[in-house]
Amino acid sequence: MQAPFSSIVPGSVVPPTLRVESELHDLRLDLRRWFEKNDPGPQPFEYEARMAALTRWQRQIHRAGFVGLSWPTEFGGGGMGLAAEAVLCQELAATSMPQLINRIALYTWGPTILSRGTPAQKARFLPGMLDASEIWCQGFSEPDAGSDLAAVRTRAQVSGDMLVVDGQKVWTSRAELSKWNALLVRTDPEGVRHSGLSVLIVDMGSPGVTVRPLLQMLGEPHFSEVFFDGVEVPLENVLGGLGNGWDVSMEAMAYERGLFVLERTTGLRRRFADLVDRLDALGKIEGAVASLGVLESKLDLLDAQVLRTLGHQENGTLVPGSSSVDKLFLADVYQDLFATAFDHLSDEGLDDGWIHDLLESRSVSIYSGTSEIQRNVIARRLLGL
Amino acid sequence: MGLEVAATLDHLLADHASTERLLEAAASEAPDSTLLTTLDEAGLTELAVPEEMGGLGLGLDQLCLVGWVGGRRLMPTLSRLKMTLVGPLVMDGLSGGPSAGAPWGCGFPAIGSATADGGQAEVWIEEKASAALVVGERSSRVVDLGHPDSVVEPEPGVDPGQGRSRLSFDPDASTVLTGADHARIVDRSRVLVLAELSGVADRVTEVSVDYARQRSQFGRPLTAFQAIQHKLADMRAGCELIRSAVSRLAWLEEPRPELTASLGAAAVSVARQVAEDAIQVHGGMGFAWEYGIHLYYRRCLALQQQLGGTESLRRFVGRSIIARRKTQ
Ligand SMILES: Cc1cc2nc3c(=O)[nH]c(=O)nc-3n(C[C@H](O)[C@H](O)[C@H](O)COP(=O)(O)OP(=O)(O)OC[C@H]3O[C@@H](n4cnc5c(N)ncnc54)[C@H](O)[C@@H]3O)c2cc1C
């Protein structure tokens, strides 16, 4: 038996991808000119100095009018499409600091608030995201709820017009720098698994919040344990309604896999260019030509995947679960790039930066859903298994 | 328009290119001439020809849809070559020779090594072909197969039954084609290889998922085992990546041959892994001649070779990075 043709053609065999070539030419030139003039030079190696420099950098880019290009103008954005963000990412990649410190806010929680937030939440939270005056973190993982996120036990009880939060999160990135925490908690103690969860926007300066930095593999206090002991959070800080935490979180994760992956990708491009420079300076480029070809083609493929995802996001046609492909492949390319760099530079030319990046690359297949979890999602949502 | 054409092609191939027929052609090592004629008559060679030259003038995105269907149904290689190269190139500049819809031989311009000047070429040849098109990057040659210096040696290679052969010819006795559009036509023909790969990968993944659902071991369907789920998930992820590569190229405003090469190099590796996993998921059935899973694998390998061979493709992409640096 043969399936009818219309049922096998997904309507998107050749889905339109975000076009970044000819569109927005003026924006690209503006950015290029501005970045050339204002490039702050290599980022400090030392963690705290690096964080401070990155914060200043985002503030500066914001002042020039280039942060939040796709956000509505009424909230301080540029009122443009996602293609503008893509162009920013690409041009930012050519600078010495190819990342925005507040990316969790810009790429994940900002879009979620734009989609699900109340007018008051939009007015309160969006501006501080753009100028990096209020850094965001995301409190999902707990000691007993990692991959199995629905097992979160941190709870929040309604008491008048407040919620009172008790529990513990772990691996919260940049918690010590953050003003706000998008916190996934159980608000209905009777709720099973995905029901009864809510996302709260928690002020990290509230009484009862304790942040205990954890060193990661590189010895940097990149993430923390965060303890909540009777922390009061106004009810108006519930994002997307009480009990809708699972949906809100999943929507946030879908955003994360669009621009966030694009941003990581452009950062990788930058490091790839560094690698080519390094090999050239060492006179080793000829011997590495095939490896460089592999990396270049994987980077192009990753770009193609992300641009397609963004094209779907822009058109509202993103298939749930499909952006797991982006995350899975990002980890693959990320780890391949730094492993290749290590292999080709091991005899000479391997500075601490390359060692740092190789070690750090191991985190990419763990954070925001491990590669195994992405495969589970693809199996379940795309293949229906 | 593209959708109707694709649906027609899908039906024709469903009727005329069953697994049994494909296996027969593979075993006989000769292309299925009835099928080739059927597809010619359906107008395949006119699809990529501009309207003002009497063709259908399908856009690249629509041609990709057609190529994708061709990949799913393991369309004869010659049909793709006639659609993407013979049709557009011959319509553009040959008088007195065979028409595009007649039997032909045709080569494929491998990336990075494509000249039409040597007296040797890999071509795919149908029965009764009187001429062969040897395609280079900027020009092509029409070789008269009746010329005494034209010698054809069958070399079926990894994907037999497609008419793959080695052609020796006298370059001076051939007609040179150099249309203004030549390079663009060549780039499109490469994008269409990726569209075909996308179809092959999608189809073999679907077939594997279906098989894993209905085959039970240890009292459970294979899909209950996470090792199999993850393999199938990787296959599906691979399919998405290849499709993204095709989309990216199909929607460019101007062709970017370097990007075609780069995405091509990545996509052929991904597709090959998908087809290898498909064999693994099928167990012994995957290794059996009769079940035909090897046909998808063979096609992936053949398309990879046509595009340029893994190592030379990688080097080509690597060299273009170096060349770009020198001009900056
Ligand atoms: C650098 C970094 C930054 C992070 N930042 C944050 C943050 O800001 N906020 C936050 O909330 N969290 C953060 N995390 C935590 C991260 O989301 C979790 O580490 C991740 O979800 C995995 O959870 P886990 O560590 O408990 O591992 P586990 O869930 O215990 O997994 C251990 C291993 O088992 C595998 N496994 C688990 N379940 C399955 C299954 N069902 N099928 C197959 N394999 C399975 C996993 O893939 C993994 O290989 C961060 C982690 C890192 C490394």
Side-chain angles (χ1 to χ4, degrees):
Chain A
M1 247 301 282
Q2 185 196 327
F5 186 71
S6 54
S7 75
I8 58 161
V9 176
S12 58
V13 170
V14 194
T17 65
L18 210 59
R19 296 207 207 178
V20 288
E21 263 73 25
S22 59
E23 284 170 30
L24 302 167
H25 193 64
D26 292 346
L27 172 66
R28 193 181 289 281
L29 288 184
D30 284 353
L31 280 165
R32 206 163 281 176
R33 245 179 265 126
W34 191 86
F35 281 138
E36 253 162 38
K37 229 177 33 226
N38 295 285
D39 194 311
Q43 37 184 323
F45 189 71
E46 194 265 319
Y47 182 75
E48 269 152 50
R50 189 162 81 239
M51 293 302 116
L54 282 169
T55 308
R56 281 195 302 277
W57 182 222
Q58 183 179 327
R59 194 160 302 159
Q60 212 182 332
I61 301 172
H62 172 256
R63 238 181 270 131
F66 298 129
V67 180
L69 291 170
S70 66
W71 291 17
T73 45
E74 55 177 312
F75 304 114
M80 301 162 102
L82 284 177
E85 301 280 4
V87 171
L88 171 72
C89 275
Q90 286 174 337
E91 294 305 319
L92 192 59
T95 71
S96 311
M97 288 199 207
Q99 61 163 297
L100 299 174
I101 181 94
N102 213 6
R103 60 184 180 211
I104 293 177
L106 294 171
Y107 299 139
T108 306
W109 292 100
T112 310
I113 289 176
L114 279 167
S115 157
R116 302 252 186 170
T118 62
Q121 287 172 339
K122 291 177 189 172
R124 171 64 192 89
F125 297 117
L126 295 175
M129 293 179 160
L130 294 172
D131 65 7
S133 60
E134 295 180 344
I135 306 285
W136 281 62
C137 62
Q138 172 175 310
F140 279 16
S141 304
E142 297 180 4
D144 289 322
S147 297
D148 186 8
L149 186 58
V152 294
R153 288 208 297 242
T154 297
R155 21 182 211 105
Q157 259 177 324
V158 181
S159 149
D161 55 0
M162 287 286 172
L163 283 152
V164 181
V165 183
D166 288 283
Q168 185 202 338
K169 295 287 172 179
V170 69
W171 318 129
T172 309
S173 294
R174 296 179 180 171
E176 82 290 0
L177 302 174
S178 293
K179 164 77 174 164
W180 300 110
N181 189 338
L183 194 72
L184 183 66
V185 297
R186 191 161 287 291
T187 39
D188 178 0
E190 311 282 290
V192 186
R193 303 283 300 165
H194 304 119
S195 69
L197 300 172
S198 304
V199 171
L200 314 185
I201 301 171
V202 179
D203 187 339
M204 292 293 279
S206 313
V209 176
T210 310
V211 176
R212 190 188 299 161
L214 293 167
L215 297 183
Q216 34 82 306
M217 195 200 256
L218 292 146
E220 296 174 347
H222 171 101
F223 44 33
S224 301
E225 290 176 295
V226 183
F227 299 88
F228 300 87
D229 185 10
V231 177
E232 289 194 333
V233 180
L235 259 175
E236 67 208 32
N237 282 16
V238 175
L239 179 58
L242 265 183
N244 296 328
W246 187 258
D247 281 359
V248 173
S249 308
M250 292 304 111
E251 183 172 335
M253 290 297 96
Y255 292 126
E256 163 159 356
R257 301 208 176 107
L259 286 175
F260 186 91
V261 174
L262 180 70
E263 191 240 29
R264 310 287 354 225
T265 306
T266 47
L268 277 183
R269 284 249 174 229
R270 168 79 206 179
R271 289 301 272 155
F272 181 59
D274 291 345
L275 174 62
V276 176
D277 283 346
R278 194 94 183 107
L279 288 168
D280 202 13
L282 294 166
K284 292 210 244 178
I285 204 161
E286 276 304 318
V289 111
S291 304
L292 294 177
V294 172
L295 291 174
E296 165 90 354
S297 65
K298 281 180 133 184
L299 283 166
D300 281 339
L301 188 57
L302 182 58
D303 271 351
Q305 177 66 28
V306 177
L307 290 176
R308 182 178 148 211
T309 296
L310 291 171
H312 280 307
Q313 266 178 7
E314 185 109 304
N315 296 333
T317 54
L318 191 68
V319 175
S322 63
S323 60
S324 284
V325 175
D326 304 39
K327 173 73 197 331
L328 194 57
F329 193 52
L330 172 72
D332 175 16
V333 180
Y334 210 106
Q335 294 175 347
D336 197 13
L337 172 61
F338 293 111
T340 304
F342 187 84
D343 292 347
H344 281 282
L345 296 173
S346 272
D347 301 336
E348 50 173 337
L350 193 66
D351 61 36
D352 287 350
W354 290 108
I355 295 170
H356 175 280
D357 288 354
L358 174 62
L359 295 177
E360 189 175 54
S361 77
R362 300 320 304 175
S363 69
V364 186
S365 51
I366 299 173
Y367 65 63
S368 80
T370 68
S371 290
E372 288 73 26
I373 293 305
Q374 306 303 339
R375 290 188 179 95
N376 287 349
V377 171
I378 294 167
R380 198 171 60 243
R381 312 218 48 176
L382 299 188
L383 297 175
L385 300 182
Chain B
M1 172 75 108
L3 202 64
E4 287 157 38
V5 174
T8 308
L9 177 65
D10 188 58
H11 284 131
L12 282 174
L13 289 170
D15 291 344
H16 299 280
S18 60
T19 304
E20 297 77 58
R21 289 269 299 265
L22 293 171
L23 288 170
E24 243 170 68
S28 79
E29 300 198 343
D32 184 338
S33 53
T34 326
L35 175 57
L36 288 172
T37 311
T38 308
L39 297 179
D40 283 345
E41 283 167 1
L44 203 68
T45 49
E46 288 152 30
L47 299 182
V49 176
E51 270 175 296
E52 61 272 20
M53 311 200 63
L56 252 75
L58 291 190
L60 183 52
D61 58 320
Q62 307 200 352
L63 287 174
C64 284
L65 177 60
V66 175
W68 177 79
V69 165
R72 293 177 60 90
R73 299 267 185 207
L74 298 171
M75 168 173 81
T77 297
L78 262 160
S79 295
R80 170 173 50 83
L81 296 174
K82 290 182 84 173
M83 171 172 94
T84 59
L85 291 166
V86 178
L89 287 173
V90 167
M91 294 271 175
D92 198 26
L94 188 69
S95 60
S99 71
W104 270 88
C106 184
F108 183 84
I111 291 171
S113 60
T115 66
D117 292 339
Q120 287 275 332
E122 175 190 60
V123 289
W124 284 257
I125 293 193
E126 356 180 11
E127 261 183 304
K128 306 210 185 82
S130 63
L133 191 60
V134 177
V135 186
E137 203 73 53
R138 311 217 163 273
S139 66
S140 300
R141 284 175 186 276
V142 180
V143 176
D144 176 1
L145 293 173
H147 190 278
D149 287 342
S150 298
V151 180
V152 174
E153 284 286 339
E155 259 183 23
V158 70
D159 189 19
Q162 304 299 322
R164 181 171 177 270
S165 308
R166 177 135 308 268
L167 169 68
S168 320
F169 61 99
D170 176 0
D172 296 332
S174 62
T175 314
V176 178
L177 299 181
T178 48
D181 254 1
H182 196 282
R184 180 184 286 261
I185 291 170
V186 163
D187 185 64
R188 287 188 154 208
S189 75
R190 291 171 178 155
V191 176
L192 262 290
V193 166
L194 302 193
E196 182 173 335
L197 267 181
S198 169
V200 176
D202 282 1
R203 183 78 185 124
V204 80
T205 300
E206 286 166 25
V207 167
S208 302
V209 170
D210 289 347
Y211 183 79
R213 274 190 216 281
Q214 57 90 25
R215 164 86 177 158
S216 279
Q217 285 293 281
F218 301 95
R220 293 190 285 169
L222 297 181
T223 47
F225 301 106
Q226 197 183 49
I228 295 293
Q229 288 175 6
H230 281 192
K231 216 172 254 312
L232 294 171
D234 280 333
M235 291 167 70
R236 178 58 190 262
C239 291
E240 296 299 326
L241 293 172
I242 300 167
R243 182 171 297 188
S244 297
V246 175
S247 290
R248 176 99 171 96
L249 295 168
W251 291 98
L252 287 173
E253 278 140 55
E254 283 303 315
R256 287 177 56 190
E258 282 185 4
L259 189 60
T260 309
S262 173
L263 287 173
V268 291
S269 309
V270 173
R272 177 175 172 169
Q273 184 68 54
V274 169
E276 288 169 353
D277 285 347
I279 294 177
Q280 187 66 20
V281 166
H282 279 81
M285 207 60 115
F287 196 67
W289 173 265
E290 228 180 318
Y291 206 69
I293 297 299
H294 59 101
L295 294 174
Y296 297 97
Y297 185 38
R298 289 172 182 281
R299 182 57 57 87
C300 286
L301 294 171
L303 291 174
Q304 176 171 9
Q305 280 185 321
Q306 285 173 43
L307 215 54
T310 325
E311 193 61 16
S312 62
L313 261 183
R314 288 174 180 167
R315 288 180 173 279
F316 178 83
V317 178
R319 284 202 195 296
S320 59
I321 305 171
I322 300 173
R324 262 204 312 274
R325 285 165 62 74
K326 296 210 166 112
T327 59
Q328 266 166 14

